[in-house]
Amino acid sequence: MNALREKARELLAAKTVQVVIGYGRGSGGSARAVFMRAPAQAAELIFDATCLQNLAVYLMKPEVRKLGKAALVATPAALRTILQLAAENQVADNSLLALAPVGEDIMPLATFAAIEAHVAAADHDLSAAEGAELGKFAAMGLEERRRFWEEQFSRCLKCYACRAACPLCYCTRCTVECNQPQWIPVPAHDLGNLEWNVMRAMHLAGRCVNCGDCSRACPVGIPLYLLNQKLISDVSSVFQARSGMAARSDNAMSTFKPNDPEDFIR
Amino acid sequence: MESEKRSIERGALSRLVEQWLSQGKRVLAPMHSGDKVDFAWVTSLDDVSLDHVQTVQSPKTAVFPRVEELFSFRSADGRVEVRERDLGALPEIVVLGLRPCDAAAMAALGAIFNWDAPDRLFSARLARTTLVTIACSRADEHCFCTSVGGGPGAVAGSDILLTDMGQGAYLAEIVSAKGREAARAAGPLFAPAPGMDKESRLATVAKAFSPDAIAAALERMFDAGGFWEEQSRRCVGCGACAYVCPTCACFDIQDEGGISGQRLRCWDSCGFGLFTLHTSGHNPRWLQSQRWRQRLMHKFAYMPERQQALGCVGCGRCSRACPVDMNILEHLRAVAEAKP
Amino acid sequence: MSPTDLFQPLLMKIEQVIEETPDVRTLRLAFADERQGREFTFRTGQFGEYSVFGEGECTFCIASPPTRNGFIECTFRKAGRVTTALAGLEPGETIGFRGPYGNIFPIQDWERKNLLFIAGGIALPPMRSVIWNVLDLRDRYGDITIVYGARTVADLVYKRELAEWAARPDIKLVTTVDPGGETPDWKGEIGFVPAVLDKAAPASRDTIAVVCGPPVMIKFTFPVLARLGLAPKSIFTTLENRMKCGVGKCGRCNTGKYFVCKDGPVFTLAQLQGMPQEY
Ligand SMILES: Cc1cc2nc3c(=O)[nH]c(=O)nc-3n(C[C@H](O)[C@H](O)[C@H](O)COP(=O)(O)OP(=O)(O)OC[C@H]3O[C@@H](n4cnc5c(N)ncnc54)[C@H](O)[C@@H]3O)c2cc1C
Ligand code: SF4
Ligand code: SF4
Ligand code: SF4
Ligand code: SF4
Ligand code: FES
């Protein structure tokens, strides 16, 4: 934590960056995003097990972008997000500084190449627990799975917290807001909820970096991560593609390759 | 009128639920859902959670569901027929286990829906809803009912207020005519309540601010752009705070079903970026900070002046549900302390 | 029978469709139920919610004057889902109407005064109602000047009425198009509305001005009017905040503590100056 605060203080004092996006203490012992703009504020930064939010979501917000060059306290998921945003031409190389906590230390990563090297060295596979949960879900029969999701989606409020918390849902006009034609019904009834959640999951297929923020954001506790993780594992087995690993990569779902497998299309 | 005091045993409460269901009423009550507690339609008291502080969502769904039909229409051979909604067919609802803040919120919703011209659908739903509130024996850091005119044992808005007196007994305060009718229908399930005093059973919620001071401060703060930007920078602009709020009432109107379909009313939120977008592309609230300001202004400055009702009952749901820990109490304190 | 529910529209038959420009149409609407038509009253400045069943509702002002009974008119630009559907309808088809909603132009207070109407683009419709209203009561008012501008000649709406107004000796009509928007046979002015207004320099004593148009036009017109000596309380405009319910409940048109659907859409410049800039 001291290394982080020291680094942040130094960056702000030297005006290397105009803002450090990090974590501070929030309500009830939780962590919340903070935007430090003066060296003295650096003392409020924290980094511990409560720091879960993927702060890369703020890289896409105009209110944050206008503050100037940012240093971002980046969890492994946030680093993958930066690379994925880079692959989608949303952030430019050298335009931000990632601060990756490594033990008690802090590793500044100024370029996409540095982030790629850092990310490549880590293990991003699903954890054993995640794998087991996904396995259970995969083992359900088609009918059981349908009932499971119907029950889950019946609680969806269409509050779009999942979308707002997702750093890769940055469209200025989301498909649910396109009304000519009205692709997705606006109300949060069964059909609207099903179409909304399936649409969002499909838009994140091959792009989602498994940060888990959509599920954490969902006020009614819908396990959206199951959809994302299933799609991640399918995209990886069908296309041997993995999002968030490289700053230049083709999106598996929107890039045609002559040798793409077609046997899953029925 | 002084509310009448009775008592009811936990066992009798469960028979009461059975009675309501057998009378064809729908019962909305807090239920465990994963690691959360939220309102759901229940079929027995066994499903009902009685030990939580607050539910994720408010019970506003009883009077303002997230989707409802305003009317339906049929078109054939160039002729259109509009069919008014049959209000008589709306279900009778009992909300069991809402909190005193939630009961108070019904008045705030009424102030919006019935401002100037009455909203028949809302009013019909409210008239068919009986509120059997359970007083709070616990509160958390997000509760601030006492700062907005309520309290953990406040009766306002409830039809019956239950207070857990321990040993499976509840004090039942029969507050309204609807409550008296419900108690009468329950017959002997409600017993006399000799010398029951609820005060010692209630949670303590410290007063954090005065709404008048907040309104006075807000009056001067519309143009304090920097303040609003600092306050709301981490807000990601979702609808979670509005959708869980018992008093938020912004809505959208949508047609579905083609030329023979329905006109629907559904929840919306002033926190969404496109809420105020004009057809011309101009958006009067183009920044999230302006939308956050609107949330506080509407509840604490505009509503008190225009609808003579505070738009917040201090339930703390928005703070608990916010994905980025926007803590409304903290923001209100900041408003109170702001130096204009 | 009139609907008892606030959100339930009256049925209207499209009597006539006038193509004003390629994407602007005027509809003349008659009440499907004659008795509703006889009972219906409104005052100039008010608006309504028009619906295409199955597509939804949209907000337009009532573009006809209350002095002409038995029908109402609206003029709209094809912009999105409902207006596109509306543009596809033909005479004889049925749409819905809720209203009238909102406040009014206080034309009774304007009697004996000079009136100056300034409109840009598709913003003439709210003005058309009040213009016809005062023209139908012509002897109650002083000089009447209309300054109307559009981007190009093709974008001018109400061409037949412009011709009728131009021919009347008791109105001064100035039409203008933005530089480059003129055609070879264009006889009106060329230039932006505020500049043309400066040149037209209408009577400024005892004058009421009504200004409707895109925000930039309004912004640059107010100072010209101030130079002409008009007080903020004598300058009227209409706001077009996004609306859904039209009746002060859905929250969409909330601007500061005001609801444009109930407190507006007509506001004086004096009122706007006392309001937060949120429109
Ligand atoms: C008081 C008042 C009076 C008015 N009077 C008139 C009048 O007389 N004549 C007139 O023509 N208009 C008038 N308007 C404007 C009119 O109400 C709108 O143009 C109309 O409601 C558009 O409806 P629509 O369903 O066709 O458009 P929508 O489908 O709602 O779309 C409108 C525009 O917004 C875009 N859009 C839609 N949804 C989204 C989204 N979610 N995100 C981003 N962009 C989106 C569309 O692409 C389109 O450009 C008035 C408005 C008010 C408030
Ligand atoms: S759901 Fe799809 S369209 Fe909507 S914001 Fe996310 S990626 Fe964009
Ligand atoms: S956050 Fe949850 S409730 Fe909200 S829209 Fe997403 S899935 Fe639905
Ligand atoms: S604003 Fe927040 S605390 Fe106030 S009533 Fe709504 S959800 Fe509860
Ligand atoms: S305050 Fe929180 S819940 Fe409300 S819009 Fe902002 S991020 Fe969403
Ligand atoms: S349009 Fe709904 S409140 Fe004004």
Side-chain angles (χ1 to χ4, degrees), chain A residues 153 155-163 193 196-197 200 214 217-222 224:
Chain A
F153 293 153
R155 299 200 312 276
C156 173
L157 310 173
K158 286 256 190 99
C159 70
Y160 304 134
C162 46
R163 179 184 73 183
N193 287 351
W196 153 241
N197 282 287
R200 200 185 92 87
C214 51
C218 179
V220 295
I222 299 174
L224 299 165

Side-chain angles (χ1 to χ4, degrees), chain B residues 163-202:
Chain B
T163 306
D164 187 350
M165 302 303 291
Q167 275 106 46
Y170 289 85
L171 166 68
E173 291 170 88
I174 318 294
V175 185
S176 69
K178 230 192 273 171
R180 279 190 291 283
E181 172 54 31
R184 195 197 52 75
L189 294 182
F190 286 97
M196 278 186 172
D197 178 17
K198 69 179 176 184
E199 288 313 313
S200 64
R201 312 292 308 181
L202 299 177

